[in-house]
Amino acid sequence: MPVLVEPDATRVAELLKLLPAGTQAVEDVERMHAWMARHPDEYVVLLGPGVPLALVTDLCERLRVDRPTVSVVLVREVIDAPLLSQAMRAGVRDVVETHDDQAVAEAVRRAHQLHTALRGPGGATRTGTVTTVFSPKGGVGKTTLAVNLALALADRGARRVCLVDLDLGFGDVAITMQLFPTHTIEQAVGAESVLDAVQLDGLLTRHADSLMVLAAPAHPDVKERITPALVSRVLRTLRESFDHVVVDTAPAFDDATLTALDETDECVLVTTLDVPTLKNVKVALETMDLLDVAPGHRHLLLNRADDAVGIDVEKVEAILGIPVEARISTSVDVAASTNTGTPIVTARPDHPTSQAVRDLARTLLGGETPVPGPSDAAAGPAGGTGPDHPGHAGQRRFRRRR
C-alpha cells in the first residue's frame, strides 16, 4: 500500500481520496520509517506539500539503499523547472500536482508496476515474520522458551523457521538443542554489504525437526566484531527465505539486541514473579514505549508463575500495564527434556507446557494452528526450572530510532 507523509490534516484528507484504500498517512518522515520497518511490502512513499524539500534528498538516498523497490512520489501545489531539477537529482520517481487526480493515480500505478517487476516473477519476495524473545534480566527462561516456540512455529516442517541466537557473548541455543554447529554467525563477519541467502544458508545448522539454527559464536570475544549492520543484514536476508525468524537475545539492550528489536514484528517479553525482574521489565517496557517499539505486538509471558510467591497475575498486569498472554508454572519435566537434548514441545507434545507454547505460537500466527499435539486441550500447570527453562501458559513490536 502507499504511505503518505503530510503534516497537514486537511491536505491528508484531500490526498487520501485519490489513493487506494488502505493507504497509511503519517505526520513526518520519522514516523514513515517506523511504519515501513514493520511493513516490508509497501511500494510507494508520497511526500505531501508539507514535507520540506530539504528532507527529500536524504530520504531518497536512504530508501535507495534500504528499500530499492520503493518509489518516492513528490506531491506539490505548483511544479516548476527548478523543483523538477531538484527532484530528479534527489532520485524522486515522479512529481505530481496535488489536485491532478489522474497524475497521482498514474504515479501510484507505475510505482506498483516497478515494485512488482523488481521483486521478481512472483510479484513479491517472501517476507517472513521476525519474532524476538527478550527479557532485560537473565535466568528467566528466555532461551528455552525461544527454542520451544521456534519448534512450535515450525509445525514439524510445515513452515520454514529459523532460530537465531543473538546472545553473542554466551548464547545457549545450540547446547540446549544439543547441536554442534560447524559454522556460526561469526563466519558472516565483514559481509554486511554482500551477504545473500545462499551464503547465509551455508552458516545454518539443521535440527531434526526441520528447524534451522544460526548459532552464536563459540567464544565471547567475537561479539565486538559483529556489527549492527551485519545483524540487520542477517535478519532481513532470513526474512526473505523463511516464514518465521525467531530471535533469542541477550538480557540487555546491547547493539545486537537493539538491532533485532528494530527489525522485529512481534516481541515476546519473559518475566518471573519476583520484584527485581518485574522492576527491570517495567523499565524495559517504558523504554520500548519511548522508542516506539512494536506497539500492539508485545506478548508478556510469566515463567514460574506459581501462586505461592505472593504476586498474582492481576498485580503483574497492574504493575506493567500490559496483559499477560501466557503463564508458565514450575515443572522439572522441562528441565529434564532440555537436559536430554529434546525440548519439551518435541519430547512431550501433550505436556501442559507444550500446549502453552503452542497457544502462544497460535497467537503469533494470528490464529493459524501450530504444532498439533496428541491433546490440544486448554493448558494446565506447566513449567520450567533452572535458569532458562519455561513451563504453563494461558492464552490470551522495539523500534529503535536511528
Side-chain angles (χ1 to χ4, degrees), residues 162-330:
C162 184
L163 175 58
V164 180
D165 192 345
L166 280 186
D167 188 347
L168 301 175
F170 300 95
D172 289 329
V173 166
I175 196 169
T176 297
M177 305 181 79
Q178 295 208 354
L179 297 174
F180 304 94
T182 57
H183 297 89
T184 72
I185 194 173
E186 178 182 358
Q187 278 69 54
V189 170
E192 288 87 346
S193 61
V194 298
L195 187 68
D196 59 25
V198 175
Q199 294 169 322
L200 191 51
D201 186 65
L203 306 183
L204 304 180
T205 303
R206 179 178 292 277
H207 183 262
D209 291 285
S210 301
L211 174 67
M212 303 302 290
V213 175
L214 180 60
H219 301 287
D221 59 333
V222 178
K223 176 180 179 179
E224 303 304 322
R225 297 164 51 205
I226 298 175
T227 64
L230 177 58
V231 172
S232 180
R233 180 82 177 206
V234 165
L235 295 180
R236 293 182 184 190
T237 303
L238 289 173
R239 186 195 287 273
E240 295 177 358
S241 303
F242 290 87
D243 299 308
H244 298 274
V245 180
V246 178
V247 183
D248 185 29
T249 58
F253 286 136
D254 60 14
D255 284 346
T257 298
L258 286 169
T259 305
L261 290 168
D262 198 35
E263 298 289 343
T264 199
D265 300 302
E266 307 288 340
C267 182
V268 178
L269 286 143
V270 185
T271 186
T272 50
L273 293 181
D274 58 273
V275 172
T277 301
L278 290 171
K279 183 268 293 183
N280 286 0
V281 172
K282 175 70 171 176
V283 173
L285 282 166
E286 290 171 349
T287 305
M288 295 170 79
D289 287 336
L290 181 66
L291 299 176
D292 192 30
V293 174
H297 294 269
R298 303 174 194 165
H299 311 271
L300 182 63
L301 180 142
L302 300 185
N303 191 25
R304 309 186 198 108
D306 303 310
D307 296 333
V309 301
I311 303 178
D312 57 23
V313 172
E314 289 74 19
K315 186 175 293 186
V316 170
E317 292 180 335
I319 293 171
L320 300 182
I322 182 175
V324 173
E325 289 194 13
R327 293 181 59 193
I328 295 178
S329 302
T330 303

